[in-house]
Amino acid sequence: MDVSKDKLDIHIRPSGEFSDVANSPEGIGSLKDRLVPLAPEKVVTEATGGFESLATDIPGKSGLPVIVINAARIRGFATAVGRFAKTDPIDAEIIALFAETVCPDHRKLPDEKTRELSELTNRRCQLMKMRTAEKNRLTVSGGPARD
Protein backbone atom coordinates (compact mmCIF):
# COMPACT_ATOMS: atom_id res chain seq x y z
CA MET A 1 0.00 0.00 0.00
CA ASP A 2 1.48 3.34 -1.07
CA VAL A 3 0.25 6.18 1.13
CA SER A 4 -0.08 9.82 0.17
CA LYS A 5 -1.92 12.70 1.80
CA ASP A 6 -5.12 12.17 -0.19
CA LYS A 7 -5.18 8.52 -1.24
CA LEU A 8 -3.88 5.00 -0.80
CA ASP A 9 -2.74 2.96 -3.79
CA ILE A 10 -3.12 -0.76 -3.18
CA HIS A 11 -1.41 -3.58 -5.06
CA ILE A 12 -2.36 -7.13 -4.12
CA ARG A 13 0.09 -9.93 -4.76
CA PRO A 14 0.23 -12.39 -6.38
CA SER A 15 -2.97 -11.53 -8.29
CA GLY A 16 -1.62 -8.13 -9.40
CA GLU A 17 -4.93 -6.49 -8.58
CA PHE A 18 -4.63 -2.70 -8.20
CA SER A 19 -7.00 -0.16 -6.69
CA ASP A 20 -7.00 3.08 -4.80
CA VAL A 21 -9.09 4.57 -2.01
CA ALA A 22 -9.24 7.94 -0.30
CA ASN A 23 -6.94 8.38 2.69
CA SER A 24 -9.94 9.07 4.90
CA PRO A 25 -11.88 7.04 7.47
CA GLU A 26 -14.48 6.19 4.82
CA GLY A 27 -11.93 5.14 2.19
CA ILE A 28 -9.92 3.08 4.65
CA GLY A 29 -13.14 1.52 5.99
CA SER A 30 -13.99 0.34 2.47
CA LEU A 31 -10.43 -0.99 2.07
CA LYS A 32 -10.75 -2.87 5.36
CA ASP A 33 -14.06 -4.36 4.16
CA ARG A 34 -12.28 -5.59 1.00
CA LEU A 35 -9.20 -6.95 2.78
CA VAL A 36 -10.73 -8.78 5.73
CA PRO A 37 -12.38 -11.49 3.56
CA LEU A 38 -9.08 -11.97 1.67
CA ALA A 39 -7.27 -12.66 4.98
CA PRO A 40 -3.94 -11.27 3.73
CA GLU A 41 -0.73 -12.59 5.22
CA LYS A 42 0.40 -8.99 5.70
CA VAL A 43 -0.53 -5.45 4.79
CA VAL A 44 2.65 -3.48 4.15
CA THR A 45 3.12 0.25 3.77
CA GLU A 46 6.03 2.62 4.06
CA ALA A 47 6.42 5.30 6.71
CA THR A 48 5.39 8.64 5.24
CA GLY A 49 5.85 11.08 8.08
CA GLY A 50 2.41 10.53 9.56
CA PHE A 51 0.14 10.16 6.53
CA GLU A 52 0.18 6.39 7.16
CA SER A 53 -1.30 6.73 10.67
CA LEU A 54 -4.93 6.42 9.66
CA ALA A 55 -4.12 3.74 7.10
CA THR A 56 -2.46 1.56 9.74
CA ASP A 57 -4.86 2.26 12.58
CA ILE A 58 -8.18 1.08 11.14
CA PRO A 59 -6.91 -2.12 9.46
CA GLY A 60 -4.80 -2.85 12.55
CA LYS A 61 -7.89 -2.67 14.76
CA SER A 62 -9.50 -5.26 12.46
CA GLY A 63 -6.79 -7.77 13.23
CA LEU A 64 -5.08 -7.38 9.85
CA PRO A 65 -1.29 -7.76 10.15
CA VAL A 66 -0.14 -4.23 9.28
CA ILE A 67 3.61 -3.63 8.83
CA VAL A 68 5.19 -0.19 8.40
CA ILE A 69 8.56 -0.18 6.63
CA ASN A 70 11.19 2.55 6.45
CA ALA A 71 10.86 4.21 3.03
CA ALA A 72 14.63 3.97 2.45
CA ARG A 73 14.39 0.16 2.52
CA ILE A 74 11.67 0.24 -0.14
CA ARG A 75 13.72 2.64 -2.32
CA GLY A 76 16.80 0.46 -1.96
CA PHE A 77 14.76 -2.59 -2.95
CA ALA A 78 13.31 -0.76 -5.98
CA THR A 79 16.81 0.18 -7.09
CA ALA A 80 18.03 -3.38 -6.59
CA VAL A 81 15.28 -4.77 -8.83
CA GLY A 82 15.82 -2.04 -11.43
CA ARG A 83 12.56 -0.12 -10.94
CA PHE A 84 13.44 3.55 -11.23
CA ALA A 85 10.09 5.00 -12.34
CA LYS A 86 8.22 6.65 -9.50
CA THR A 87 4.43 6.84 -9.62
CA ASP A 88 2.00 5.89 -6.88
CA PRO A 89 0.78 2.70 -8.63
CA ILE A 90 4.39 1.63 -9.30
CA ASP A 91 5.30 2.39 -5.69
CA ALA A 92 2.39 0.25 -4.47
CA GLU A 93 3.57 -2.59 -6.72
CA ILE A 94 7.16 -2.29 -5.44
CA ILE A 95 5.97 -2.29 -1.81
CA ALA A 96 3.92 -5.44 -2.48
CA LEU A 97 6.87 -7.11 -4.22
CA PHE A 98 9.13 -6.10 -1.31
CA ALA A 99 6.67 -7.62 1.17
CA GLU A 100 6.49 -10.87 -0.81
CA THR A 101 10.25 -11.14 -1.41
CA VAL A 102 11.77 -9.84 1.82
CA CYS A 103 9.04 -11.08 4.20
CA PRO A 104 9.46 -8.31 6.80
CA ASP A 105 8.74 -9.22 10.40
CA HIS A 106 5.38 -8.31 11.79
CA ARG A 107 5.69 -6.13 14.87
CA LYS A 108 2.70 -5.13 16.91
CA LEU A 109 1.83 -1.50 16.29
CA PRO A 110 1.65 0.74 19.37
CA ASP A 111 -1.77 1.09 20.97
CA GLU A 112 -3.77 4.32 20.77
CA LYS A 113 -2.61 5.70 24.14
CA THR A 114 1.06 5.05 23.28
CA ARG A 115 0.65 6.82 19.92
CA GLU A 116 -1.06 9.78 21.61
CA LEU A 117 1.76 10.06 24.14
CA SER A 118 4.34 9.86 21.36
CA GLU A 119 2.59 12.60 19.37
CA LEU A 120 2.38 14.84 22.44
CA THR A 121 6.04 14.23 23.26
CA ASN A 122 7.10 15.01 19.69
CA ARG A 123 5.03 18.18 19.69
CA ARG A 124 6.51 19.27 23.03
CA CYS A 125 10.03 18.79 21.62
CA GLN A 126 9.13 20.90 18.60
CA LEU A 127 7.78 23.68 20.80
CA MET A 128 10.84 23.58 23.08
CA LYS A 129 13.13 23.94 20.04
CA MET A 130 11.04 26.86 18.78
CA ARG A 131 11.20 28.56 22.19
CA THR A 132 14.97 28.12 22.36
CA ALA A 133 15.38 29.51 18.84
CA GLU A 134 13.28 32.55 19.72
CA LYS A 135 15.24 33.17 22.93
CA ASN A 136 18.47 33.01 20.92
CA ARG A 137 17.13 35.48 18.37
CA LEU A 138 16.13 37.92 21.09
CA THR A 139 19.60 37.89 22.64
CA VAL A 140 21.23 38.97 19.38
CA SER A 141 18.59 41.47 18.26
CA GLY A 142 18.60 44.99 19.53
CA GLY A 143 16.02 47.68 19.85
CA PRO A 144 12.27 47.23 20.12
CA ALA A 145 12.28 43.54 19.10
CA ARG A 146 14.11 42.72 22.30
CA ASP A 147 11.65 44.38 24.69
Side-chain angles (χ1 to χ4, degrees):
M1 175 170 52
D2 182 60
V3 179
S4 65
K5 179 181 174 186
D6 298 321
K7 70 175 185 156
L8 309 172
D9 291 286
I10 297 94
H11 187 92
I12 299 174
R13 294 212 33 105
S15 71
E17 180 184 343
F18 173 82
S19 63
D20 62 18
V21 297
N23 191 359
S24 66
E26 298 79 22
I28 293 168
S30 71
L31 173 62
K32 178 195 69 139
D33 293 344
R34 275 188 58 222
L35 291 178
V36 168
L38 294 175
E41 187 179 312
K42 56 190 148 250
V43 177
V44 179
T45 186
E46 61 185 4
T48 59
F51 290 131
E52 78 282 358
S53 298
L54 187 62
T56 58
D57 190 41
I58 294 173
K61 287 180 179 175
S62 304
L64 293 171
V66 179
I67 302 171
V68 180
I69 300 293
N70 183 313
R73 287 185 69 193
I74 303 293
R75 267 301 103 219
F77 179 80
T79 301
V81 296
R83 298 295 297 267
F84 301 105
K86 185 127 175 60
T87 66
D88 291 339
I90 291 173
D91 286 350
E93 181 182 4
I94 289 296
I95 292 167
L97 183 61
F98 172 89
E100 186 178 63
T101 306
V102 176
C103 300
D105 291 334
H106 180 262
R107 289 177 288 157
K108 188 166 175 60
L109 295 173
D111 62 35
E112 189 172 341
K113 290 290 184 189
T114 304
R115 282 194 309 272
E116 284 178 16
L117 181 60
S118 177
E119 288 174 17
L120 288 170
T121 303
N122 288 340
R123 184 62 181 145
R124 182 179 184 278
C125 287
Q126 292 169 353
L127 292 170
M128 297 288 287
K129 287 178 182 176
M130 290 168 60
R131 185 178 78 171
T132 300
E134 290 304 314
K135 281 183 177 180
N136 291 339
R137 284 185 192 99
L138 284 175
T139 61
V140 296
S141 69
R146 189 171 183 176
D147 297 332

